[in-house]
Amino acid sequence: MTTTQATDTPAAATAEVELAIGGMTCASCAARIEKKLNRMDGVEATVNYATE
C-alpha cells in the first residue's frame, strides 16, 4: 500500500530564457540586474556585462 502526502509537489517545469538587455555601462549595472532577478522565486539568473 502506498500513500501520498499533501506536501508532495510535482516536479517543477524549467525553461531557459535569454534576454537582450542594453544600456549597461558598467559591471555594477549587470550585478544589480542579476541580483534583482535572483530575488524572484524560482529564478536563477546570470548577467554578462561584456556581452550585454
Side-chain angles (χ1 to χ4, degrees), residues 23-41:
M24 289 189 288
T25 58
C26 63
S28 180
C29 296
R32 180 175 288 147
I33 292 167
E34 186 174 303
K35 186 175 180 179
K36 293 288 186 179
L37 288 172
N38 283 320
R39 285 184 179 171
M40 299 172 68
D41 289 337

Side-chain angles (χ1 to χ4, degrees), residues 2-21:
T2 60
T3 59
T4 304
Q5 296 179 352
T7 57
D8 288 350
T9 57
T14 60
E16 185 173 316
V17 177
E18 185 172 322
L19 304 172
I21 302 171

